[in-house]
Amino acid sequence: MSLSSAVSSSAGRRNPVAWLARLGAWAAGGRGPAGPSHDRWHEIARTTSFRLAMVFACFFAGSSLLLFAFIYWRATVFETNRIDALITEDARTLANEDQDAILALINTHVTGDFHRVGYAALFAPDGHRIAGNLEEAPPDLPVDGKVHVVRATRTDLPAMGAIDVRLAALRIPNGNILVIGRNGQYMVILREVVVHALTMGAIPAMGLALAAGVFLAWRTQQRLKAVHRAAERIMSGHLQERLPIPGTGPQDELDRLSILFNGILDETERLMGEIKATGDEIAHDLRTPLTRVRARLERTQKGDMAPEETRETVGKAIGGLDQALAIITALLRIRELENSKRRLGFATMDPAEVILLLEELYQPVAEAKDIAFTVTVSPVPPLFADRDLLMEAVGNLVDNALKFTPPGGRVSLTLTPREGDGATVIRVADSGPGIAPHERDLVFSRFYRSDRTRHLEGTGLGLSLVAAIARLHGLSPRIGDNAPGCVVELVAEEAAKTLGPASATI
């Protein structure tokens, strides 16, 4: 076997691609029936983290192969040019000597070449060998002093046969031909070094990538199992359950996704609670007027009432039905607003127009109740809003203020920018009984009525409707103390995000 064949065989045994292929074949072949451990590894191998690690490992292997191929190519070119320069320089140096000196130098060159890589010979013009370790002058070797790759045979290694060598031939002054060269063993050595470096670098790197992929896949799998268990508990009816989120370290994609779904679960739990509470409240609030209607109709059915009393009873029954219908209509409107289905009427508008229209509408009502009603309008940025809905919300606040303020009291409606950030504020203040601090967050709930106002007529849905319209417009409803009385504000903190293009020119 030749030296180059032996090196190629050795490199093949250390080839990382072949090694990985044999490892994959061994893994695919199986070693007995699949058990829980096999299933766990199969799950890990199917995870995205493991697949990404394998993609990066293959990418690294391919990059390493390209890098080492480039290094090998550049090193080969460099070494070849260096060897060619040495051969040319040696040939020209020997050609300038006399015949005896050339023979002595050839003999020194041949006997001192322990690695058997050098070639040196002197031939007569007819091709007869005078001295050196070449059997004959290669017939296809030009005598031009340049290096050429030809096939030649050494006299001291006849068993090797003719091999490719790099030779340069020069004609000396007496007509003889001087041949100097080297074989390609240095290229074999260089290839062996490069392949060895590739093997020693690529296999550990791919092993580390594989280990990293397994670890990341296992870690992700454990987290997903915890999420899966929490999701199963949620699906079984435990709506208070939440997806687990690590409390330390930076948040990754799974953490942010869990936070998002936890927010969805919070909103779902809140809506489910509202649905349950709304169902109970609807049953309670509709039962009273419907019971009254039934009792009045029963009295009318007996026929022992005078015509005038009958008309009065029927009128009260109709009023009770109207009250029940008003409750249902208000609930449907709140649902429609909370589902954000009423955005077709949105446009960029000046809120001052709504405030001035409400002044014209409620000023006579305030005068009839002997209540001082004042309106203050300051320049504010335009709002992207539905004019009718905004008027309904603010009008509901003004109507409540006039309803709960006793005669001789005062109610104010103010449109002003907030100090500091200039956010638009619509403020309704009164001098009525006010709202207790612990009830200020509850009054926006459906059917909630304060103990101070429970004796007054109403459905308990007015402020719920105001809150729904405010959320639709990006307004924040707030309730405070007016000492005495109550102050309600609609603050456009988020309304600027929904402004139309005309708002930029305010």
Side-chain angles (χ1 to χ4, degrees):
M1 181 183 293
S2 65
L3 179 60
S4 60
S5 299
V7 172
S8 300
S9 176
S10 174
R13 287 193 297 270
R14 292 188 300 233
N15 190 339
V17 178
W19 180 82
L20 288 175
R22 289 196 298 272
L23 180 62
W26 177 86
R31 290 296 185 268
S37 178
H38 179 274
D39 294 338
R40 183 165 57 251
W41 284 106
H42 183 65
E43 290 181 4
I44 291 177
R46 294 175 58 186
T47 60
T48 303
S49 301
F50 183 81
R51 292 180 180 180
L52 285 177
M54 291 300 96
V55 169
F56 282 117
C58 293
F59 178 77
F60 173 78
S63 302
S64 299
L65 288 175
L66 291 176
L67 176 62
F68 279 101
F70 177 77
I71 293 174
Y72 175 72
W73 172 67
R74 291 302 303 167
T76 301
V77 171
F78 174 79
E79 187 67 12
T80 300
N81 292 336
R82 188 183 70 85
I83 295 299
D84 289 351
L86 291 176
I87 293 173
T88 303
E89 184 64 24
D90 289 346
R92 289 177 180 176
T93 301
L94 287 176
N96 293 328
E97 302 291 337
D98 54 28
Q99 178 85 3
D100 294 336
I102 292 175
L103 293 174
L105 290 172
I106 289 176
N107 183 60
T108 302
H109 184 81
V110 171
T111 57
D113 183 16
F114 299 105
H115 296 287
R116 308 293 178 88
V117 296
Y119 291 80
L122 184 65
F123 296 93
D126 59 357
H128 174 71
R129 180 171 61 87
I130 300 175
N133 58 357
L134 282 172
E135 286 284 352
E136 60 180 357
D140 54 348
L141 177 62
V143 185
D144 56 2
K146 298 180 181 180
V147 178
H148 301 276
V149 179
V150 295
R151 296 186 65 83
T153 305
R154 296 176 64 97
T155 58
D156 52 352
L157 292 174
M160 182 182 295
I163 62 173
D164 290 336
V165 295
R166 307 186 71 83
L167 299 177
L170 279 175
R171 191 177 299 276
I172 62 177
N174 61 5
N176 292 333
I177 299 174
L178 175 65
V179 179
I180 299 293
R182 289 172 65 93
N183 68 14
Q185 185 181 2
Y186 68 93
M187 298 301 299
V188 176
I189 296 174
L190 179 62
R191 183 169 60 248
E192 183 178 8
V193 171
V194 172
V195 172
H196 180 73
L198 175 62
T199 304
M200 293 298 99
I203 290 181
M206 294 192 68
L208 289 175
L210 179 63
V214 171
F215 172 74
L216 292 176
W218 173 82
R219 181 173 177 269
T220 303
Q221 189 181 42
Q222 297 304 311
R223 296 180 60 187
L224 289 178
K225 284 183 178 179
V227 172
H228 186 266
R229 288 192 294 267
E232 287 182 339
R233 290 192 293 270
I234 294 171
M235 292 175 63
S236 65
H238 298 83
L239 295 181
Q240 72 281 359
E241 188 74 27
R242 294 295 178 266
L243 301 183
I245 301 173
T248 59
Q251 295 178 348
D252 58 10
E253 292 82 359
L254 287 178
D255 296 334
R256 291 193 289 270
L257 187 61
S258 297
I259 293 173
L260 176 62
F261 273 95
N262 286 343
I264 295 175
L265 291 173
D266 291 338
E267 183 66 14
T268 301
E269 185 179 12
R270 183 187 68 81
L271 292 176
M272 292 295 293
E274 287 188 358
I275 290 174
K276 183 178 181 302
T278 300
D280 297 338
E281 291 161 352
I282 289 175
H284 179 271
D285 283 56
L286 289 181
R287 182 177 59 185
T288 301
L290 291 179
T291 301
R292 292 174 180 173
V293 169
R294 187 178 187 282
R296 288 164 181 165
L297 292 177
E298 284 181 348
R299 288 184 58 193
T300 304
Q301 186 181 22
K302 293 178 180 179
D304 56 354
M305 301 172 60
E308 186 67 26
E309 187 178 1
T310 300
R311 285 193 295 270
E312 182 181 357
T313 302
V314 172
K316 291 181 179 180
I318 294 174
L321 293 176
D322 289 341
Q323 182 181 3
L325 183 62
I327 292 174
I328 295 174
T329 302
L331 289 173
L332 291 176
R333 281 184 54 76
I334 293 173
R335 179 183 177 185
E336 180 185 24
L337 293 170
E338 288 181 342
N339 290 337
S340 301
K341 294 180 180 179
R342 283 287 306 270
R343 300 190 68 90
L344 295 178
F346 274 61
T348 302
M349 55 160 292
D350 186 359
E353 299 176 5
V354 173
I355 303 301
L356 295 177
L357 287 175
L358 290 174
E359 180 184 17
E360 296 179 5
L361 179 64
Y362 284 100
Q363 191 65 252
V365 178
E367 292 176 355
K369 296 186 63 176
D370 191 23
I371 296 175
F373 181 46
T374 60
V375 176
T376 304
V377 176
S378 300
V380 295
L383 289 179
F384 188 65
D386 186 311
R387 183 189 304 271
D388 295 336
L389 290 179
L390 186 61
M391 180 176 292
E392 182 177 0
V394 180
N396 203 319
L397 295 177
V398 174
D399 186 75
N400 282 346
L402 294 174
K403 181 190 299 184
F404 298 123
T405 300
R410 63 185 185 279
V411 174
S412 64
L413 174 60
T414 305
L415 175 66
T416 182
R418 185 170 61 181
E419 295 183 3
D421 57 1
T424 299
V425 177
I426 300 175
R427 182 183 299 112
V428 177
D430 61 61
S431 59
I435 300 176
H438 67 277
E439 292 183 317
R440 290 173 184 171
D441 292 332
L442 300 175
V443 293
F444 291 109
S445 302
R446 298 174 187 177
F447 298 107
Y448 183 85
R449 304 190 69 184
S450 174
D451 293 335
R452 303 180 185 179
T453 60
R454 192 171 296 275
H455 62 284
L456 298 177
E457 183 181 356
T459 62
L461 294 174
L463 290 181
S464 298
L465 186 61
V466 171
I469 295 175
R471 283 194 294 268
L472 184 63
H473 288 77
L475 303 174
S476 300
R478 297 177 180 178
I479 298 179
D481 189 4
N482 197 36
C486 174
V487 57
V488 181
E489 292 183 344
L490 300 180
V491 184
E493 293 178 340
E494 299 182 3
K497 300 178 182 178
T498 58
L499 286 177
S503 63
T505 60
I506 184 66

